[in-house]
Amino acid sequence: MTRGFPAGFRWGTATAAYQIEGSTTADGRGPSIWDTFTARSGLATGDPACDHYRRYREDVRLLSELGVPYYRFSVAWSRVMPDGRTVEPRGLAFYDRLVDTLLDHGITPMVTLYHWDLPEALQAEGGWPNRALADLFADYALTVHKVLGDRVRQWTTINEPFCAAFIGYGNGDHAPGIRDEGAALVAGHNLLLAHGKATRALRSAGGEQEVSIVLNFAPVLTDVDDAAHREAARKFDFLHNRFFLDPLLGRGYPPELLADLAHLGTLEPAIADGDLEILAQPLDVLGVNYYAPARAVPLDDPETDSNCPLPGLRGMDVQPPRGELTSLGWEQRPECFTELLLWLHEHCDGLPLVIAENGAAFEDEVVEGRVHDEKRVRYFAEHLAAVHAAIERGADVRGYMAWSLLDNFEWAMGYTQRFGLVHVDFETQERVLKDSALFYADVVARNGL
Ligand code: FCB
């Protein structure tokens, strides 16, 4: 039985600038926080990653061979404005060429303006806890739009502000590696403000663009259905899944969440008059990233700090994932994906949804020129079936972007985690289509499973 997707469903693959481009000093690019953070921490860096800055034509050819019609990529602020303010035309020219090459191959470009690679010069001014960055981001958005806006219709302001704020400034596992929970909350608010200002700027530039933000969601599971477990799950859910979403929908930060975070004393003072209106610009679509659920348990003492890396959470802990895990240790629960999409459909009053990322890391091996990644094939099959089920039950899901086109630089995990449909040999830069790429190409060709 074929499970068909709606006509016009947008099938795509996704990447991010720092994870694939390499050439971190070419053509006037300035350092980003990921260059400095990885160097300082002795981690693998994004150079050369997939050497995509020089091999983009080959990569677009691969996309075209796969027949996947949409491609989501991000623009590196530090290429376009090495100091965060001054335009570097050679950096912009790269994205101009990339967009033309995609269009020449019949592939629709979807641009994300910020996928975590802040110019280091702006971190030197305090980074995202400094609200002045919101205006600078809007200027940057407009600069990119001036060059690409005649050909790009789909714009995403920010990818996963949750990670940029809470992992970058809260537990410090990501760049810029700062551990300050109070500052992390302020960074989160300022990222939303930046999104709002950039959205206004993009819309003021005219044209028919569709503007979105991409949020990552983790549905919360508990073992027991009692009041204490429900409250533990609520705390995690509100901070992980609603801190960014509710203000975007014009509802402000949920009062229970403000109460959960009040002991840090930073979020409410950071919300200036008018901010909540600015950041709640109507969205054309919501980008949804889903990988795995989380598991919550209550703690006896409501004031004990949580073991989970989210800023300010108390009175609950997260439990280890169970069942079948990916190589990153993420739990595989496609049914949570269906529930999430149905919940979003309802909570966002029918706002159209696009899956901006979904995928899985496994250890792959090239054997006689092939990569038989059956675990990834199964992950995609099950998660696409989950998306299909949500659509059948009424969720307005307009598209699906597989993460990722290429094996790439997986942030703090370096090159140890392979998410690609296409295998990359990081020594030779050779690309080999995995079985999952062939599987996905077939789904796309049939617009069904
Ligand atoms: C998401 C990121 C993306 C990639 C995947 C695995 O959180 O947006 O860049 O690292 O996780």
Side-chain angles (χ1 to χ4, degrees):
M1 194 189 70
T2 309
R3 279 170 290 193
F5 281 78
F9 194 77
R10 298 177 192 169
W11 295 104
T13 58
T15 61
Y18 194 71
Q19 296 182 271
I20 62 167
E21 286 179 359
S23 299
T24 57
T25 55
D27 295 335
R29 182 185 177 283
S32 80
I33 54 174
W34 273 95
D35 296 297
T36 44
F37 171 73
T38 49
R40 196 176 61 235
S41 323
L43 296 170
T45 77
D47 222 347
C50 309
D51 197 21
H52 171 79
Y53 190 72
R54 299 191 306 158
R55 293 170 194 262
Y56 72 93
R57 284 194 186 82
E58 180 189 337
D59 292 335
V60 173
R61 268 200 303 278
L62 270 177
L63 277 172
S64 152
E65 272 172 46
L66 287 173
V68 180
Y70 285 82
Y71 177 57
R72 171 178 181 237
F73 65 94
S74 80
V75 171
W77 192 345
S78 57
R79 257 190 218 294
V80 168
M81 295 172 149
D83 62 0
R85 292 183 167 87
T86 319
V87 177
E88 167 52 80
R90 290 173 294 172
L92 268 172
F94 168 69
Y95 298 105
D96 196 39
R97 290 195 299 275
L98 174 61
V99 164
D100 278 343
T101 310
L102 288 164
L103 291 170
D104 285 347
H105 287 79
I107 299 162
T108 304
M110 303 170 88
V111 168
T112 297
L113 288 163
Y114 187 73
H115 201 124
W116 307 353
D117 42 1
L118 186 72
E120 177 61 32
L122 298 183
Q123 183 53 40
E125 296 177 26
W128 285 112
N130 172 7
R131 65 183 275 129
L133 263 65
D135 285 312
L136 294 173
F137 181 68
D139 291 344
Y140 155 66
L142 214 47
T143 301
V144 179
H145 186 272
K146 268 195 197 121
V147 175
L148 306 182
D150 58 336
R151 285 153 294 153
V152 173
R153 282 202 53 205
Q154 269 113 28
W155 294 83
T156 292
T157 53
I158 293 168
N159 179 76
E160 300 189 354
F162 169 96
C163 296
F166 296 169
I167 308 186
Y169 295 87
N171 78 339
D173 280 358
H174 278 185
I178 289 170
R179 290 166 162 268
D180 179 341
E181 297 195 325
L185 300 178
V186 178
H189 177 70
N190 290 340
L191 279 152
L192 283 174
L193 194 61
H195 154 81
K197 292 192 175 205
T199 303
R200 272 204 322 211
L202 291 171
R203 293 227 169 93
S204 74
E208 286 179 36
Q209 67 268 18
E210 197 182 271
V211 185
S212 70
I213 186 169
V214 169
L215 303 183
N216 54 307
F217 295 98
V220 197
L221 305 174
T222 54
D223 282 336
V224 184
D225 187 22
D226 64 12
H229 283 77
R230 278 198 293 276
E231 175 61 0
R234 187 210 51 79
K235 285 183 179 165
F236 187 93
D237 179 48
F238 274 46
L239 186 53
H240 196 296
N241 300 319
R242 290 178 57 183
F243 181 102
F244 296 95
L245 182 59
D246 283 25
L248 288 166
L249 297 172
R251 299 175 196 158
Y253 296 97
E256 300 92 322
L257 177 61
L258 290 174
D260 293 340
L261 299 173
H263 64 103
L264 291 177
T266 56
L267 178 58
E268 287 184 79
I271 309 170
D273 278 353
D275 281 5
L276 293 174
E277 286 79 60
I278 295 170
L279 62 83
Q281 301 299 310
L283 294 165
D284 296 306
V285 294
L286 176 67
V288 177
N289 289 358
Y290 171 76
Y291 289 94
R295 295 183 171 274
V297 280
L299 295 174
D300 291 339
D301 174 7
E303 309 225 320
T304 301
D305 284 342
S306 167
N307 67 351
C308 91
L310 307 193
L313 271 196
R314 304 199 294 190
M316 60 82 56
D317 267 350
V318 287
Q319 290 179 299
R322 295 181 201 158
E324 282 197 72
L325 308 185
T326 69
S327 66
L328 255 178
W330 293 353
E331 187 165 332
Q332 298 182 56
R333 291 277 164 211
E335 67 278 13
C336 292
F337 200 6
T338 307
E339 293 307 320
L340 169 67
L341 294 170
L342 291 168
W343 176 75
L344 284 170
H345 179 67
E346 198 183 295
H347 191 71
C348 306
D349 296 328
L351 182 67
L353 310 172
V354 166
I355 313 307
E357 287 179 28
N358 173 240
F362 293 108
E363 283 154 21
D364 301 316
E365 229 190 312
V366 184
V367 181
E368 294 167 5
R370 297 286 303 271
V371 180
H372 297 303
D373 57 338
E374 56 306 335
K375 288 187 182 159
R376 188 175 294 96
V377 171
R378 186 150 50 81
Y379 183 96
F380 278 121
E382 290 176 352
H383 286 75
L384 285 168
V387 175
H388 186 268
I391 295 173
E392 292 274 281
R393 291 168 61 188
D396 186 3
V397 185
R398 304 274 174 97
Y400 178 95
M401 308 296 129
W403 183 269
S404 177
L405 173 64
L406 303 167
D407 288 339
N408 60 42
F409 172 80
E410 179 46 37
W411 308 112
M413 309 296 293
Y415 298 95
T416 62
Q417 301 298 323
R418 294 181 176 272
F419 273 94
L421 295 167
V422 177
H423 186 274
V424 176
D425 179 326
F426 294 108
E427 300 288 312
T428 63
Q429 291 297 338
E430 194 195 350
R431 275 80 162 133
V432 174
L433 296 185
K434 302 181 191 177
D435 285 356
S436 55
L438 305 175
F439 166 80
Y440 189 55
D442 187 55
V443 171
V444 174
R446 293 196 287 146
N447 196 36
L449 274 172

